[in-house]
Amino acid sequence: MKLKRRKIKYAVIFFICWLGILVFLVDGVIGFQSLVDYFCSYALVEIMLLLLVTLPTLAVYRFVKE
């Protein structure tokens, strides 16, 4: 799979914006500890947050037209 510069640029821009929104929501509004208390697992919350950032970023990379 050959990487395309334009696709990478849009994916990186999306990644930075989406990561910023999630950090604001998790650290500021919702609270990380309340998520850990709700799901009863620190590892599950970490994996869930990582997937919430990486999967949409990969989708943006895949669906951006060259």
Side-chain angles (χ1 to χ4, degrees):
M1 180 173 87
K2 186 176 178 183
L3 298 176
K4 306 290 183 181
R5 292 187 79 188
R6 181 177 179 199
K7 292 174 88 169
I8 292 174
K9 179 177 74 172
Y10 287 122
V12 167
I13 291 170
F14 178 81
F15 174 80
I16 291 170
C17 293
W18 186 236
L19 182 66
I21 291 170
L22 280 178
V23 166
F24 172 73
L25 286 175
V26 170
D27 288 339
V29 177
I30 299 172
F32 185 78
Q33 189 60 41
S34 63
L35 285 174
V36 172
D37 292 340
Y38 183 75
F39 290 108
C40 300
S41 173
Y42 180 82
L44 179 66
V45 172
E46 285 289 329
I47 291 170
M48 180 180 63
L49 291 173
L50 284 173
L51 289 176
L52 275 174
V53 172
T54 55
L55 291 179
T57 302
L58 290 174
V60 166
Y61 177 78
R62 180 152 171 90
F63 293 119
V64 166
K65 301 283 185 208
E66 191 56 39

